[in-house]
């Protein structure tokens, strides 16, 4: 039976009307969008779950902060407020604002990575992988085996496989491993958490081999909440204490603030050691790419709302509700026998489209099939995290086969209510009931050479 929905720890003060189109209009829209979710107009979507990034609802305190933002070019008040929040929460000596997560990666990664080096992660997010490669290095994933089986429940499916990490370091040679990155939560594996124990073990390996350790911290607060729930030794710690402990194991962090810091734009770099020789390099690169040190590509008003959002995002009552939404949807899927990456992750539900359409092969993109059906069924926009997103082998041009065929329901923070979650569950149940009659998938008519899923044109394959 479905679990109880955790009531919102806020009330609604401003609303945005959303359109409900009928099925024939949606069918026309998705065909006109060449069956690519990124080509749909936002206003033609009823429930938008394309991403939880930058799509969050800010609080009245954050909006009040927008009015108070100090727009001084150098040394504004909002900058100092953000520094204080960052130092207080993460315990790091140096905090650098940047315009978003990938900007942090662009500024930091080339200082550690170049041709001939590798970076190893529990799992790289797409842009993180891209910035490793743009720096000339290679990106290697090293997640625990249990992450690869969606039906298998384990408390920390986001963890690094520590034995494999040791093996990889020995294989490449420690001096060739430029960086280890711990992504918390592990987005690509389904928003799965990393345990504190695993952080400590990875940090010990890095220390032994003198390899710098970076946290990709986009969903650091959700990760801390899972640790509190699932790691017995942490159950009496506050979320803030767990965060401080987690970050104490790393040397630096890169963060997209568009997720757990509940803002529409922003990012951070943190360095633990205030005397690190890294800091002058970050400052120099930031001035060239992002803007002066005290604004990093953001407006003063963005810095102000980010400083406030960092605290709102770590409130336990908020996190209980936030993770509770995912658990509610997951429990409705359990009732209906719909398989997803389980237990459910922090920022969304990753539905196993391979299990729903076992007759549709990877090169007809089952997760994209499910995304398209969800739009046609209920105006829900999700995305493919599978072979369609993975693309082609750069050497042979052949379609790659992804380990997973997930359709991702990424949930914006403080935006949708229980009734919206019921619409999501009911749409999935209706699609499952007719899954056998959806015989074929899609073929690609046109695609750009890299990151093709954002732009490709598709067509249904006639059976
Ligand atoms: N790292 C992780 C783990 C992410 O999930 C993202 C973005 C980034 C880095 C890059 O941050 O977008 O601010 O430049 N993830 C979004 C998503 C886009 O939909 O999962 P950004």
């Amino acid at each position: 039976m479905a679990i109880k929905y955790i009531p919102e720890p806020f009330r609604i003060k401003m609303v945005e009307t959303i359109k409900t189109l009928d099925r024939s209009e949606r069918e026309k829209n998705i065909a006109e969008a060449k069956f690519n979710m990124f080509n749909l107009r936002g206003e033609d979507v009823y429930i938008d779950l394309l991403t939880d990034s930058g799509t969050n609802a800010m609080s009245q305190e954050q909006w009040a902060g927008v009015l108070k933002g100090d727009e001084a070019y150098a040394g504004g008040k909002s900058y100092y407020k953000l520094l204080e929040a960052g130092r207080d929460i993460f315990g790091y000596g140096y905090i650098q604002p940047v315009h978003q997560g990938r900007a942090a990666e662009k500024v930091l990664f080339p200082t550690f990575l170049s041709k001939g080096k590798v970076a190893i992660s529990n799992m790289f997010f797409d842009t993180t992988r891209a910035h490793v490669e743009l720096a000339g290095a290679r990106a290697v994933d090293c997640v625990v085996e249990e992450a690869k089986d969606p039906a298998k429940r384990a408390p920390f499916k986001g963890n690094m496989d520590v034995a494999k990490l040791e093996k990889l370091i020995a294989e490449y040679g420690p001096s060739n491993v430029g960086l280890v990155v711990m992504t918390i939560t592990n987005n690509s594996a389904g928003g799965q958490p990393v345990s504190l124990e695993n952080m400590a073990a990875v940090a010990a390996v890095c220390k032994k081999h003198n390899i710098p350790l970076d946290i990709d911290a986009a969903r650091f607060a959700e990760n801390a909440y899972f640790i509190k729930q699932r790691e017995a030794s942490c159950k009496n710690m506050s979320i803030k204490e767990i965060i401080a402990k987690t970050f104490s194991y790393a040397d630096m962090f890169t963060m997209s603030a568009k997720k757990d810091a509940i803002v529409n734009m922003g990012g951070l770099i943190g360095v633990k050691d205030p005397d690190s020789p890294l800091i002058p390099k970050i400052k120099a690169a930031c001035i060239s790419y992002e803007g002066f040190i005290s604004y990093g590509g953001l407006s003063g008003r963005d810095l102000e709302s980010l400083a406030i959002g960092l605290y709102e995002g770590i409130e336990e009552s908020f996190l209980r509700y936030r993770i509770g939404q995912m658990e509610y949807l997951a429990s409705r899927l359990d009732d209906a026998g719909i398989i997803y990456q389980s237990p459910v992750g922090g920022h969304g539900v990753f539905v196993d489209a391979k299990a729903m359409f076992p007759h549709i092969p990877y090169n007809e993109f089952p997760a994209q099939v499910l995304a398209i059906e969800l739009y046609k069924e209920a105006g829900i926009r999700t995305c493919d995290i599978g072979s369609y997103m993975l693309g082609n082998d750069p050497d042979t041009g052949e379609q790659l086969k992804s380990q997973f065929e997930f359709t991702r329901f990424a949930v914006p923070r403080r935006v949708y209510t229980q009734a919206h979650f019921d619409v999501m569950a009911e749409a999935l149940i209706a699609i499952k009931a007719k899954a056998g009659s959806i015989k074929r998938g899609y073929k690609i008519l046109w695609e750009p050479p890299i990151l093709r899923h954002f732009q490709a044109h598709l067509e249904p394959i006639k059976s």
Side-chain angles (χ1 to χ4, degrees):
M1 238 192 35
I3 60 165
K4 192 176 161 310
Y5 182 91
I6 310 271
E8 281 76 11
F10 53 83
R11 57 186 171 193
I12 296 165
K13 199 169 200 172
M14 187 187 283
V15 295
E16 181 184 350
T17 303
I18 44 180
K19 253 194 319 201
T20 43
L21 302 173
D22 60 33
R23 190 177 174 105
S24 64
E25 288 172 299
R26 294 197 293 261
E27 282 175 351
K28 188 167 149 271
N29 290 339
I30 192 70
E32 278 175 10
K34 312 275 192 223
F35 299 96
N36 183 327
M37 312 315 287
F38 293 89
N39 286 339
L40 283 172
R41 282 171 181 255
E43 65 174 343
D44 291 335
V45 173
Y46 179 54
I47 301 177
D48 203 345
L49 307 173
L50 193 60
T51 179
D52 64 319
S53 179
T55 51
N56 307 299
M58 293 211 296
S59 66
Q60 62 180 0
E61 284 73 22
Q62 287 177 291
W63 280 110
V66 165
L67 292 179
K68 286 200 216 159
D70 182 348
E71 304 299 343
Y73 190 93
K77 260 195 300 200
S78 304
Y79 167 65
Y80 286 106
K81 183 167 175 169
L82 177 62
L83 287 195
E84 257 174 54
R87 287 181 183 147
D88 175 40
I89 293 171
F90 305 109
Y92 275 28
Y94 184 72
I95 299 288
Q96 175 61 60
V98 289
H99 86 273
Q100 64 181 92
R102 66 200 71 181
E105 294 150 17
K106 183 184 175 192
V107 165
L108 194 68
F109 285 6
T111 58
F112 295 100
L113 300 171
S114 55
K115 202 164 167 35
K117 299 259 184 194
V118 294
I120 305 172
S121 176
N122 52 340
M123 253 176 134
F124 284 101
F125 177 68
D126 326 16
T127 61
T128 322
R129 176 182 300 280
H131 280 291
V132 169
E133 288 168 3
L134 284 167
R138 281 185 51 199
V140 183
D141 287 339
C142 185
V143 73
V144 287
E145 274 305 305
E146 62 240 40
K148 296 171 186 169
D149 178 358
K152 182 170 180 200
R153 285 176 186 262
F156 291 104
K157 282 169 100 169
N159 277 354
M160 181 85 86
D161 182 334
V162 180
K164 191 171 161 201
L165 174 67
E166 285 271 27
K167 236 177 90 194
L168 287 170
I169 293 171
E171 232 170 83
Y172 289 111
S175 60
N176 293 321
V177 182
L179 196 62
V180 168
V181 180
M182 283 296 263
T183 310
I184 64 169
T185 56
N186 186 328
N187 183 3
S188 310
Q192 294 293 316
V194 169
S195 71
L196 205 51
E197 193 186 2
N198 191 249
M199 271 302 302
V202 169
V205 171
C206 290
K207 197 160 184 194
K208 184 167 83 186
H209 297 292
N210 205 17
I211 300 167
L213 176 57
D214 174 49
I215 296 181
D216 179 354
R219 300 177 181 87
F220 71 99
E222 290 168 4
N223 200 78
Y225 184 79
F226 281 121
I227 288 176
K228 187 169 165 81
Q229 299 304 304
R230 296 180 187 174
E231 204 160 346
S233 60
C234 301
K235 76 171 192 294
N236 295 322
M237 289 166 78
S238 70
I239 297 292
K240 196 157 173 260
E241 285 166 345
I242 293 171
I243 291 166
K245 188 81 189 152
T246 305
F247 281 76
S248 74
Y249 288 118
D251 302 300
M252 63 205 134
F253 71 79
T254 39
M255 180 192 291
S256 168
K258 299 170 71 174
K259 285 85 170 171
D260 277 3
I262 331 188
V263 287
N264 304 120
M265 191 50 76
L268 292 174
I269 300 172
V271 181
K272 187 160 70 184
D273 173 7
D275 302 317
S276 167
L278 192 57
I279 295 168
K281 293 186 194 164
I282 292 174
K283 286 181 175 170
C286 191
I287 292 171
S288 304
Y289 298 130
E290 289 289 285
F292 187 63
I293 299 153
S294 66
Y295 71 88
L298 295 169
S299 304
R301 63 184 82 101
D302 296 327
L303 302 172
E304 187 81 23
S305 52
L306 172 51
I308 299 164
L310 279 169
Y311 284 104
E312 292 183 1
I314 65 172
E315 262 170 38
E316 197 171 335
S317 59
F318 161 72
L319 288 166
R320 184 180 306 115
Y321 141 81
R322 162 91 180 140
I323 307 294
Q325 283 192 320
M326 310 309 147
E327 288 173 345
Y328 173 76
L329 178 56
S331 75
R332 291 219 47 190
L333 302 192
D334 288 338
D335 290 351
I338 293 168
I339 316 275
Y340 55 91
Q341 176 63 298
S342 60
V344 72
H347 67 294
V349 179
F350 289 56
V351 176
D352 186 350
K354 201 162 27 175
M356 187 166 305
F357 301 110
H359 52 284
I360 298 181
Y362 73 97
N363 56 2
E364 294 183 15
F365 315 127
Q368 182 68 6
V369 171
L370 180 53
I372 292 165
E373 289 304 315
L374 281 160
Y375 180 70
K376 290 199 279 190
E377 183 71 29
I380 298 170
R381 174 155 69 169
T382 54
C383 72
D384 171 295
I385 306 270
S387 298
Y388 171 58
M389 187 179 88
L390 192 61
N392 300 320
D393 184 312
D395 298 324
T396 65
E398 294 245 326
Q399 172 65 49
L400 293 166
K401 184 175 181 187
S402 171
Q403 198 134 44
F404 305 118
E405 300 292 347
F406 286 139
T407 303
R408 183 178 81 162
F409 289 57
V411 180
R413 292 162 189 77
R414 307 192 290 210
V415 171
Y416 293 112
T417 64
Q418 180 173 13
H420 292 117
F421 281 84
D422 286 334
V423 173
M424 298 172 206
E426 280 147 26
L428 271 170
I429 291 165
I431 294 165
K432 181 169 189 260
K434 60 182 175 194
S437 70
I438 301 163
K439 298 252 187 288
R440 301 290 304 267
Y442 288 79
K443 68 173 177 215
I444 292 181
L445 294 179
W446 172 82
E447 60 188 315
I450 50 163
L451 294 173
R452 65 125 184 252
H453 57 293
F454 290 115
Q455 297 191 73
H457 297 170
L458 299 141
E459 181 183 72
I461 298 171
K462 308 255 172 348
S463 36

